[in-house]
């Protein structure tokens, strides 16, 4: 009887173990949302740009025998893209990973992974300098609120005609909890002569690249109201309850009279009026030298509606910004 009972227990234990393994396996499948190795075609990736060529290629591969080849680009925003609208659920954080290698003969270039969120809204997920000698991993967190009309992740190069390969692309559920964050989370130096997701704040405001002060930066002019200036959607970087340190260099355009410049966070709920929180109070700035504005901000919302903006007290004051960072203090 004892022997038989032991066999029954062992059988029951094995059955439970098999069931548990099935549950673990099920969870593992849920955690990985998308996994593309490009061994069998482009796997729903599309060309971003009318003449861009996109194909499953044997020329290079990190794993397996193929990767996704992107060529025929003629502008920096062109490349490969994947519509993920139906794949992501609201109010969750997702980890995006892709391995990139430039085509033979290409000089090192900055490759960026970006999420287009509809209505000309863009969120940078990761940026890395990539070369033709080996594979480089792009990896970053994207937080989805559920409010965006559509979601398209795309990979572009800073130079207009750079060709490159993509392999082992993956989207994983990072979980409902706040992911680990440390050090510098976002940096804009504008050295690639693009706005790096910054936008003009005000209908008639003009924004363009400038090299005043010895490095590339953004210049804003044609302001007619004191709230006019420059703005950046930082929602993907900011998580509720966590404190962040913002830093930005500012100087007035040559010939402008001394003025004060402030950094403010706008929080806009899905329903209701915007709320404004001072990150850096009005600080004196001149056209003679760069002034570094630094302040801390603690997020009170998890929604995808956080926009930091730079404004001057004078309604018509023109100014430059450079070296913007967000980090964990």
């Amino acid at each position: 009887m004892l022997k038989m009972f032991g066999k029954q227990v062992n059988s029951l234990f094995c059955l439970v173990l098999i069931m548990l393994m099935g549950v673990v396996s099920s969870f593992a499948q849920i955690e990985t949302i998308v996994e593309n190795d490009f061994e069998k075609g482009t796997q729903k990736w599309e060309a971003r740009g009318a003449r861009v060529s996109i194909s499953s290629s044997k020329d290079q591969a990190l794993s397996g025998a193929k990767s996704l080849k992107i060529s025929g680009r003629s502008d920096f925003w062109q490349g490969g893209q994947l519509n993920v609208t139906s794949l992501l659920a609201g109010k969750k954080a997702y980890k995006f990973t892709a391995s990139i290698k430039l085509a033979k003969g290409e000089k090192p270039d900055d490759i960026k992974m970006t999420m287009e969120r509809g209505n000309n809204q863009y969120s940078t997920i990761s940026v890395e300098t990539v070369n033709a000698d080996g594979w480089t991993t792009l990896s970053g967190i994207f937080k989805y609120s559920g409010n965006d009309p559509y979601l398209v992740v795309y990979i572009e190069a800073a130079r207009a005609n750079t060709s490159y390969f993509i392999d082992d692309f993956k989207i994983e559920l990072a979980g409902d909890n706040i992911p680990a964050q440390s050090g510098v989370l976002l940096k804009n130096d504008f050295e690639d002569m693009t706005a790096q997701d910054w936008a003009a704040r005000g209908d008639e405001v003009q924004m363009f690249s400038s090299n005043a002060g010895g490095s590339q930066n953004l210049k804003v002019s044609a302001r007619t109201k004191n709230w006019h200036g420059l703005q950046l959607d930082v929602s993907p970087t900011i998580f509720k309850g966590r404190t962040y340190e913002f830093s930005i260099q500012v100087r007035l355009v040559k010939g402008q009279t001394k003025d004060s410049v402030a950094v403010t966070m706008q929080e806009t709920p899905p329903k209701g009026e915007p709320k404004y929180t001072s990150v850096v109070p009005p600080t004196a700035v001149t056209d003679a030298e760069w002034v570094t504005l630094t302040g801390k901000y603690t997020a009170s919302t998890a929604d995808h509606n956080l926009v930091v903006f730079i404004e001057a007290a004078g309604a018509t004051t023109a100014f430059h910004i450079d070296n913007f960072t967000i980090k964990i203090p």
Side-chain angles (χ1 to χ4, degrees), residues 234 246 264-267 275-277 279 297 306-309:
V234 296
F246 288 67
T264 306
M265 181 69 73
Q266 177 180 309
E267 304 173 357
K275 172 187 173 183
Y276 300 93
T277 302
V279 179
Y297 167 76
L306 304 175
V307 174
V308 63
F309 63 92

Side-chain angles (χ1 to χ4, degrees), residues 178-284:
I178 298 176
Q181 291 180 302
S182 62
V184 176
L185 307 174
L186 179 63
K187 181 178 180 180
N188 299 134
D189 59 10
F190 312 112
E191 293 302 318
D192 61 358
M193 300 181 70
T194 73
Q196 297 180 357
D197 298 330
W198 283 79
R201 185 176 177 87
D203 291 339
E204 304 300 324
V205 173
Q206 297 178 3
M207 174 190 71
F208 48 91
S209 179
S210 166
N211 61 2
S215 65
Q216 293 297 325
N217 57 80
L218 284 185
K219 176 183 176 182
V220 58
S221 59
R223 299 173 63 249
T224 57
K225 294 181 175 60
N226 59 6
W227 60 268
H228 285 175
L230 297 173
Q231 64 182 23
L232 177 69
D233 187 335
V234 296
S235 303
T237 304
I238 306 299
F239 288 83
K240 184 178 180 180
R242 183 163 286 172
T243 298
Y244 300 85
E245 182 176 288
F246 288 67
S247 178
I248 190 168
Q249 289 185 306
V250 182
R251 72 184 294 171
L252 303 189
V253 170
K254 188 175 182 180
Q256 296 285 290
T257 304
K258 181 180 179 180
D259 200 355
S260 61
V261 177
V263 181
T264 306
M265 181 69 73
Q266 177 180 309
E267 304 173 357
T268 306
K271 296 181 180 180
E273 295 299 317
K275 172 187 173 183
Y276 300 93
T277 302
S278 174
V279 179
V280 181
T283 303

